Every structure is written in C-alpha cells, then in structure tokens.
Amino acid sequence: MHVPDGFINAPVSVAAGVVAAGAVAVSLRGARRELDERTAPLAGLVAAFIFAVQMLNFPVAAGTSGHLLGGALAAILVGPWTGVLCIAVVLLMQGILFADGGLTALGVNISVMGVVTVVVAYALFRGLVLLLPRTRASVTAASFVAALLSVPAAAAAFTALYAIGGTTHVPVAKVLTAMVGVHTLIGIGEAVITMLTVGAVVAVRPDLVYGARGLTAPLKLRVDGELVDAAPAAAPAAGSGSPKKVWIGGLVTALVLAGFVSFYASASPDGLEKVAADKGIDAKVEDHAAADSPLADYGVKGIETARLSGGLAGAIGVGATLAVGTGAFWVVRRRRAHAETTA
C-alpha cells in the first residue's frame, strides 16, 4: 500500500507529514519506556524482518497481490511506540534506497501504514488479551484478529486522505469500496503471517514479546516458609532460547526471505496499485525522486541476472534497515539509561 507521489496533493501531503513527524516524535519518547538491553536489538531486527517480508507479495485475487504492512506485528513484538518507529524506518529505507513509496508521500505512508495500523491493531490486541484466558494461544489468536482488521483500517485511512486531497476526481464511495474490499483479503494474509511469527517467538521466548509480558507468573522461591520473588538472574525459565539465538534466527530468516524467497513473490500489482489503475487514481502519478537509485525497484543496477540482482538488493535492504533501526533504537535506549542515572 505504498502511496506514490502524485496521488495526494501537496497541502494534504504536508499535513500528513506533520502528523507523521509528530507521531514519530511522540513515539521516540514512548519507546524509551519499552526498550531495554534485550529489546533494543530485537526492535532493529523486527524492522529488518518486516522489510524482508514486505518483499513477498502474495496473490489475493485475479491480477492482484498483497504484502505485509507490519504495524500489528511490530506493535505486538516490541510495543506500540517502538512499532511506529519500526515501520517509519522501513518506509524511509524503501523510499530512499528502493524508490518504493513517494518521498513527498512519506508522511502519508507513515501515517497510513505505520500510525493507523499500529493504533488499530494494538488497541484490538490489548482488548482481546484482556478478555481471553492468559495463555499463549490467546496471544496468537488476538494477534490474528488485530492484524486482520488493521489492514482494511489503513485502506479506509488512505481513502479519507484521498477524499480530502486526491489529485483525481474519482467518486470516494467507489474508492472506499474497492480499497476496503481488496485489503480485507490482504488482511487475511497479514493475519496469518503475524500469527505465525508471534506464535513462533512466544513459543521460544514469551518474555521477549511485548504483548505477552505478564503471560507467565514471576518465578517464586520459598524462603523461611514464605514465597518471595526470585532474583532476576533466576528468571530465564520464561523461555528456552537465548535472546542471541532468537536474534540470529530472525536475521537468517529475514535474509533468506529477502535474498531468495522474494524471487518467487507474485508479480501482480498490489491492492493500491490495482485499485489506482482500475479507477484512474494514478492519472497524475509522478516519477519517483529516487528513480535513479542503484537499488531502485529492488534490483542492483549493472547485474543482469534477475535472481542475483533481486536477491542482492534484498540482502542489502535487510542489512541497511537493520543497521539504521538498531542504531536508532540503541540511541533511544541510551537516552533512557541516561535519564534514569541523572534522575
């Protein structure tokens, strides 16, 4: 659902940019409460993983494909504030390096694909977790529903922006029906990917999943006939895998998906592209400012073999997103630590 330049007029794009900048600024402050020594590296990995999975377009209808948006997955794994930052990093890398999603539309994309998906998904997820039994199955089930509904919500948000600042004159009702319809189908794929990923991490280290915190009772020791909380050093009973193993496994998976599996992704236009072409929304689309990037369109210029070019571009994208995301989250984490020591 990457919105290119030219779909939304300049005033609304600027306004969306202000909203996105404000959301990122607020999220930077909120992320300080979510990130610690273990989750800061995980947050960078989540951004890289979402970048990789977004390369895997899957067919949803005749001539139409979809891909992960990732807001629900990021919010559940590392927290809503950090989740917004994860999606912002992914969209920034895609726009600058790969000419995917307009640069003047970056604020629109962060607002729609980042803020809306995170807010809707995490609100639904928390509500369901509170209602359901406190089990790992409840976390994965809640992640499915939250991810499923976050995608048509993002489609509706785009339609609202189009209604205010669309550069073409297509009836808004037709745009809304088409966008929500196709993105409900895409939401099913989003929900499956999110559920499987959250379920896999919860099965190994539930304590690393932000949305699953408090799922297991803290370890207790009996001292002089009374139960007391165990020391933090005794707490790793929450899972069997070390954070380092989870991080390495996630990175390898992201590299395999972006570097190899992406070659087999659907070549059909995604939901927004299909609706735009069918309804005429793309009549005033503009060339991307980064169209001459050596990685534009997810290929390395100068390499003729499509499989090698795309795979290398995917691996570079994973590495760049991981580096930028991890660096940014470590800075946020260090500011929190500095604030705690000076308080």
Side-chain angles (χ1 to χ4, degrees):
M1 197 192 291
H2 295 75
V3 180
D5 296 323
F7 276 25
I8 306 297
N9 64 28
V12 175
S13 294
V14 170
V18 172
V19 171
V24 168
V26 172
S27 296
L28 284 169
R29 294 181 63 87
R32 296 179 190 178
R33 300 190 297 270
E34 296 173 346
L35 295 171
D36 56 30
E37 290 82 357
R38 296 177 304 166
T39 55
L42 181 62
L45 175 62
V46 168
F49 181 80
I50 290 173
F51 172 90
V53 180
Q54 284 195 0
M55 294 182 65
L56 309 180
N57 279 47
F58 48 84
V60 295
T64 309
S65 70
H67 62 73
L68 182 81
L69 299 188
L73 179 61
I76 294 167
L77 287 180
V78 292
W81 301 115
T82 309
V84 170
L85 299 179
C86 284
I87 303 302
V89 168
V90 172
L91 292 171
L92 182 63
M93 293 295 99
Q94 290 170 334
I96 293 176
L97 298 180
F98 299 92
D100 189 9
L103 293 184
T104 62
L106 182 61
V108 172
N109 284 316
I110 291 176
S111 298
V112 171
M113 295 178 62
V115 178
V116 171
T117 57
V118 167
V119 170
V120 171
Y122 198 71
L124 287 169
F125 175 81
R126 291 307 306 170
L128 289 170
V129 167
L130 291 174
L131 293 174
L132 295 172
R134 294 168 61 83
T135 64
R136 296 179 182 181
S138 295
V139 171
T140 55
S143 69
F144 181 93
V145 176
L148 172 63
L149 296 179
S150 69
V151 178
F158 165 78
T159 305
L161 290 176
Y162 177 80
I164 301 171
T167 56
T168 54
H169 301 289
V170 179
V172 174
K174 290 185 177 180
V175 176
L176 178 64
T177 301
M179 284 292 292
V180 172
V182 71
H183 283 91
T184 297
L185 298 177
I186 294 172
I188 297 173
E190 176 106 9
V192 171
I193 295 170
T194 301
M195 179 186 67
L196 292 176
T197 305
V198 171
V201 181
V202 165
V204 178
R205 286 297 300 265
D207 57 311
L208 293 181
V209 178
Y210 186 88
R213 290 182 178 180
L215 183 64
T216 56
L219 185 64
K220 300 283 188 178
L221 294 178
R222 187 173 295 277
V223 179
D224 296 331
E226 295 184 2
L227 289 176
V228 298
D229 290 337
S240 57
S242 70
K244 184 177 180 180
K245 289 182 179 179
V246 173
W247 192 91
I248 293 174
L251 177 59
V252 170
T253 301
L255 288 171
V256 170
L257 292 176
F260 298 97
V261 181
S262 62
F263 183 78
Y264 302 98
S266 173
S268 299
D270 69 17
L272 175 59
E273 292 171 333
K274 179 65 172 175
V275 171
D278 289 347
K279 304 299 181 182
I281 297 174
D282 60 355
K284 296 185 178 180
V285 66
E286 300 173 3
D287 292 336
H288 200 287
D292 294 329
S293 166
L295 298 173
D297 297 323
Y298 297 93
V300 179
K301 288 186 177 180
I303 298 181
E304 301 298 329
T305 305
R307 187 189 298 269
L308 178 60
S309 177
L312 183 57
I316 292 172
V318 168
T321 305
L322 178 66
V324 172
T326 301
F329 296 130
W330 269 118
V331 170
V332 174
R333 167 58 191 158
R334 291 190 65 179
R335 287 187 176 180
R336 171 186 170 179
H338 176 72
E340 290 174 347
T341 56
T342 57

